[in-house]
Amino acid sequence: MEQQKCQFLIRCAEGHRPEPELPHSFLWPGLLMAVQAGAELVVQDLLPRTQWTQEQQVEMCQLAARGGHWRILEKMIYEYYIRPASEILLEASKDPFLSTTRFASLTRGLDLDVCEVENGMTPLLLCAKHGFLSRVEWCLEHGANPRTTSRSHQTLLGFAITNNWQELVERRLSLLVPELFYGECHSGRDTGAHIAARLGHWSLLSWLLNCTPAGAGAAAAAVNVCGFNILMTGARKPQFYASGCLAKLILMGSQPSLASHRNNTAPMMAFAHECYANALMLLGDRKSTRLNSSHSSVSRMPSSA
């Protein structure tokens, strides 16, 4: 009997449709094996013949979600009225091949604020982390909490700025989570302005500096780091934004310096001088075209900047 059962499970995993007459004890293990393997025809054959408990149906749905077998999961939900646990959202939020339409159909009615035990990431944060803007918008429209923070202090605002989702930041998050614009919003140390400057998102940084208090909560030392990052990464981006943002930072008291940074290169220094000169010209000061290299006039900038 055991040998026959093993052969049956192997056939299920390989996608071979089972015989009409089978021992009852074969059905549940065979169904689990087919779900895990993504064998749709076998699942379709065994579902109406198998009985399961509430705990078993949760296990079955989680297996389908972990394997990314979303059509099988849809069949369970809409044809057999199996209600999955909200944890399937965590798997669905990471899958790059899942359409937003299918994501919505699978997750409707589940708890959008369920979180991973080990790191506190919610479906909303996972979608943002993996760059799925349309899923983020769907979650927000259906009641996901935009203030959720992971155990490592990651936030929706931090991911949105990282992904350069300027429209989402301006039109929605500025209204939904205005308090996050006042201070650190990512990994317990970065302000929104820090992130935008480091990644060279000049248009978004310009909006942050214009429209949020103190440049998204940047204190004097933080402003210096923003100016530093503009100079170091601006060569890869349009200089117009780099110079304009740097001018705003200078008005806020920034005195960016490259003198003590170990990664100085001739091309980067040349661009930095040009960018700084343009920023001063935007401010109407055409006299100084050199970077301030004084160690005493700026806070020491961290090497990770």
Side-chain angles (χ1 to χ4, degrees), residues 79-99:
E79 293 185 24
Y80 293 90
Y81 306 104
I82 295 173
R83 182 173 175 78
S86 295
E87 279 71 19
I88 71 157
L89 277 166
L90 301 171
E91 299 297 335
S93 301
K94 305 172 194 174
D95 192 331
F97 303 107
L98 184 64
S99 69

Side-chain angles (χ1 to χ4, degrees), residues 126-169:
L126 287 169
C127 288
K129 177 181 178 180
H130 292 280
F132 305 138
L133 176 57
S134 58
R135 295 187 209 175
V136 168
E137 291 174 334
W138 187 90
C139 288
L140 289 173
E141 288 168 6
H142 289 79
N145 182 5
R147 292 180 173 81
T148 304
T149 303
S150 73
R151 297 192 193 284
S152 55
H153 308 288
Q154 295 169 308
T155 68
L156 174 60
L157 177 61
F159 284 126
I161 294 174
T162 298
N163 292 325
N164 202 20
W165 291 340
Q166 185 162 346
E167 186 173 348
L168 181 71
V169 172

Side-chain angles (χ1 to χ4, degrees), residues 197-215:
R198 186 170 64 248
L199 297 177
H201 300 327
W202 308 127
S203 177
L204 182 52
L205 177 60
S206 180
W207 181 86
L208 287 168
L209 297 177
N210 277 328
C211 303
T212 60

